[in-house]
């Protein structure tokens, strides 16, 4: 019912033991070398250059390959060669389990097919993201999984229009916000109406009626819903090789006024029309 | 009946888990800690058989708390119930620190009960 790591799926289905999974992860870690270590193993850089790139990365947020190009240590062609080597030699968790004898090749095929079926609802549909934003694939996942989880978790059928860039945002009844940090920086915000808050509360609490529930509980259900969406976004992004951290979510009530872009941020908004005529907003505060 | 300590900053999740656990008549809720620091205190006072813990919490996150809980009691049975379960690195770190398994949110009742029964 969520975006999963293949190893987690195998554990859930009792296909492997926890200790075998840990052994396989260790094998992956020793086999799948990072970019710098791969370049070193290929003889493309010296240990001194390797350390020089690392030191420069402490001062500027660039990937190893990009920094090596900037310092004149590697050419673009050599960076491509390293990436190809990394891709070709990558040991996936399923193969690692077969290699240590914890899973047969036949079982791997069977569980991979079942995993693909389990994860099919989370395959990202094409959503147009303006060209000028960084990490467009992550923001595409944000929009896509929001629509999918609104339907799967909250039972809300939605339709949206193309994303628009703006400087300010009306939080509607309230906005639940989750900060992203690390490789991807920004804030995810879901601005909901009171009607949508109630629909989310019913779904999260699994109750037919939430009349009489405290404000604190109703708000908490929206925060938890955003926590679920963002956790799944982080998982899906990690599958694509982009890892980032999320902080606990917080609420911005309409009484606190509009939400504005901070310096270096732009707001990408998606108006979302909910089936019963209600309209909410997904807003992505993207920091470049 | 096995006692379960719920560790999650969300009241909604605690309510959801409590409903699932008490509905099964196999488990009872030992308490609800709202962050990792509270979990460490409540582990000593409530002596639960199992702990269901979130990863992303204020004050002290779940992985930091897991490290401390396992140092205090290497036999502790901790299951991480988290929206970050699908992030491979987080999943691997939780297992390495001693979690029995990781359940991703959104979760379903049957999967949670089956996992706890298997421990």
């Amino acid at each position: 019912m969520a975006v999963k790591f293949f190893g987690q799926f195998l554990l859930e289905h009792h296909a492997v033991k926890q200790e075998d999974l840990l052994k396989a992860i260790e094998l992956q870690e020793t086999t799948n070398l990072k970019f710098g270590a791969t370049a070193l193993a290929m003889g493309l850089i010296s240990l001194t250059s390797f350390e020089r790139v690392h030191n420069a990365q402490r001062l500027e947020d660039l990937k190893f390959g990009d920094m090596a190009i900037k310092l004149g240590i590697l050419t673009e062609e050599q960076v491509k060669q390293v990436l190809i080597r990394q891709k070709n030699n990558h040991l996936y968790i399923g193969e690692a389990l077969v290699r240590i004898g914890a899973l047969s090749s036949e079982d791997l095929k069977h569980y991979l097919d079942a995993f693909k079926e389990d994860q099919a609802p989370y395959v990202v549909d094409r959503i147009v993201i303006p060209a000028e934003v960084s990490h467009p694939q992550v923001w595409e996942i944000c929009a896509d999984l929001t629509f999918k989880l609104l339907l799967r978790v909250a039972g809300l059928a939605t339709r949206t229009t193309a994303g628009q860039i703006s400087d300010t945002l009306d939080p509607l009844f309230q906005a639940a916000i989750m900060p992203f940090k690390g490789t991807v920086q920004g804030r995810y915000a879901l601005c909901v109406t009171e009607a949508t808050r109630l629909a989310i509360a019913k779904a999260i609490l699994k109750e037919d009626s939430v009349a009489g529930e405290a404000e604190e509980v109703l708000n908490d259900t929206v925060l938890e819903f955003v926590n679920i969406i963002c956790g799944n976004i982080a998982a899906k992004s990690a599958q694509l090789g982009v890892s980032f951290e999320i902080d606990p979510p917080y609420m911005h009530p309409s009484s606190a006024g509009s939400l504005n872009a901070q310096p270096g941020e732009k707001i990408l908004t998606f108006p979302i029309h909910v089936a019963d005529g209600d309209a909410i907003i997904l807003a992505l505060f993207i920091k470049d | 009946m096995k006692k379960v300590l719920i560790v999650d900053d969300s009241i909604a999740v605690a309510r959801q888990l409590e409903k699932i656990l008490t509905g099964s008549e196999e488990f009872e809720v030992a308490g609800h800690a709202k962050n990792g620091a509270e979990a460490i205190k409540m582990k000593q006072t409530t002596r639960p058989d199992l702990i269901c813990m979130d990863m992303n919490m204020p004050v002290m996150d779940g992985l930091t708390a897991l490290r401390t809980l396992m140092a205090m009691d290497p036999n502790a049975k901790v299951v991480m119930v988290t929206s970050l379960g699908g992030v491979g690195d987080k999943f691997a770190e939780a297992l390495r620190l001693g979690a029995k398994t990781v359940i991703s949110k959104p979760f379903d009742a049957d999967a949670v009960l089956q996992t706890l029964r298997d421990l």
Side-chain angles (χ1 to χ4, degrees):
Chain A
M1 208 182 164
V3 176
K4 285 172 197 160
F5 165 61
F6 184 50
Q8 181 185 17
F9 178 83
L10 291 172
L11 207 55
E12 262 180 29
H13 287 77
H14 304 287
V16 295
K17 290 181 189 154
Q18 184 212 30
E19 53 268 31
D20 287 335
L21 191 53
L22 274 173
K23 273 185 212 161
I25 289 168
E26 278 163 22
L27 178 61
Q28 269 191 304
E29 284 169 354
T30 53
T31 310
N32 298 336
L33 300 180
K34 290 187 174 173
F35 186 98
T38 307
L40 205 55
M42 289 169 77
L44 293 174
I45 58 168
S46 65
L47 196 53
T48 311
S49 301
F50 177 88
E51 284 167 359
R52 210 176 128 214
V53 175
H54 262 304
N55 290 337
Q57 281 182 296
R58 289 197 192 114
L59 304 172
E60 192 177 350
D61 186 22
L62 279 181
K63 287 181 181 172
F64 191 102
D66 294 334
M67 182 59 83
I69 291 172
K70 188 178 175 183
L71 296 176
I73 292 169
L74 288 176
T75 63
E76 281 190 27
E77 187 50 40
Q78 287 173 319
V79 167
K80 274 185 202 162
Q81 285 173 20
V82 176
L83 290 172
I84 290 168
R85 170 75 73 97
Q86 273 190 304
K87 193 178 170 193
N88 291 343
N89 289 358
H90 189 84
L91 179 66
Y92 291 93
I93 190 69
E95 293 164 0
L97 283 160
V98 172
R99 219 179 266 186
I100 64 165
L103 196 67
S104 69
S105 300
E106 293 75 27
D107 283 346
L108 172 61
K109 189 181 175 314
H110 163 75
Y111 284 111
L112 269 176
D113 289 343
F115 180 65
K116 277 180 196 159
E117 200 179 319
D118 182 77
Q119 295 293 288
Y122 302 102
V123 171
V124 175
D125 292 334
R126 200 73 209 158
I127 288 163
V128 179
I129 300 291
E132 63 266 34
V133 301
S134 55
H135 299 295
Q137 74 277 36
V138 172
W139 307 112
E140 192 177 327
I141 292 169
C142 285
D144 184 70
L145 284 186
T146 300
F147 308 140
K148 287 191 164 103
L149 290 166
L150 274 165
L151 181 62
R152 292 177 70 84
V153 176
L156 294 170
T158 59
R159 67 187 164 79
T160 186
T161 50
Q164 299 157 1
I165 298 281
S166 62
D167 297 323
T168 187
L169 174 72
D170 172 6
L172 303 179
F173 179 69
Q174 60 185 193
I177 301 170
M178 194 128 195
F180 291 0
K181 61 185 187 185
T183 312
V184 178
Q185 297 202 7
R187 290 177 286 162
Y188 173 102
L190 188 65
C191 308
V192 299
T193 57
E194 195 163 7
T196 308
R197 178 178 73 156
L198 292 178
I200 291 171
K202 283 182 196 171
I204 296 287
L205 295 173
K206 299 200 187 303
E207 300 283 1
D208 295 332
S209 168
V210 289
E213 288 289 355
E215 280 291 301
E216 186 192 11
V217 174
L218 295 176
N219 290 345
D220 188 72
T221 59
V222 181
L223 292 172
E224 178 56 22
F225 182 55
V226 164
N227 177 44
I228 289 171
I229 295 172
C230 291
N232 280 269
I233 292 167
K236 194 80 195 172
S237 301
Q239 286 175 1
L240 299 177
V242 183
S243 298
F244 61 92
E245 300 284 325
I246 54 176
D247 272 347
Y250 59 91
M251 194 61 86
H252 179 97
S254 57
S255 57
S258 299
L259 282 153
N260 299 313
Q262 290 170 357
E265 253 184 2
K266 51 173 80 84
I267 312 175
L268 175 59
T269 62
F270 292 90
I272 305 173
H273 302 279
V274 185
D276 61 1
D278 200 9
I280 60 175
I281 303 168
L282 163 65
L284 305 168
F285 290 71
I286 303 170
K287 201 164 188 177
D288 285 324
Chain B
M1 207 180 274
K2 287 184 176 170
K3 291 198 294 181
V4 182
L5 176 63
I6 298 169
V7 188
D8 201 306
D9 55 319
S10 165
I11 310 163
V13 172
R15 285 258 303 265
Q16 213 179 340
L17 280 172
E18 186 168 359
K19 201 170 168 185
I20 293 169
L21 296 173
T22 52
S24 74
E25 297 182 355
E26 297 165 68
F27 303 98
E28 62 180 319
V29 176
H32 172 208
K34 289 182 181 162
N35 58 58
E38 278 189 19
I40 292 162
K41 283 184 202 157
M42 289 182 73
K43 162 90 167 67
Q44 290 165 311
T45 55
T46 63
R47 300 189 171 278
D49 300 298
L50 307 166
I51 299 173
C52 289
M53 184 156 66
D54 190 13
M55 277 190 195
N56 190 23
M57 295 182 288
V59 185
M60 184 191 281
D61 68 72
L63 290 178
T64 307
L66 176 62
R67 190 177 286 114
T68 309
L69 287 168
M70 297 312 295
M72 284 163 57
D73 176 8
N75 296 316
K77 290 180 177 173
V78 184
V79 174
M80 304 305 284
V81 182
T82 171
S83 66
L84 288 168
V87 180
D89 290 351
K90 299 275 184 197
F91 178 89
E93 193 177 352
L95 288 197
R96 245 186 233 121
L97 291 173
K100 295 296 175 194
T101 191
V102 181
I103 298 173
S104 287
K105 292 178 186 174
F107 50 77
D108 60 61
D110 292 341
V112 171
L113 289 175
Q114 194 53 52
T115 301
L116 298 184
R117 273 185 207 119
D118 289 345
L119 295 180

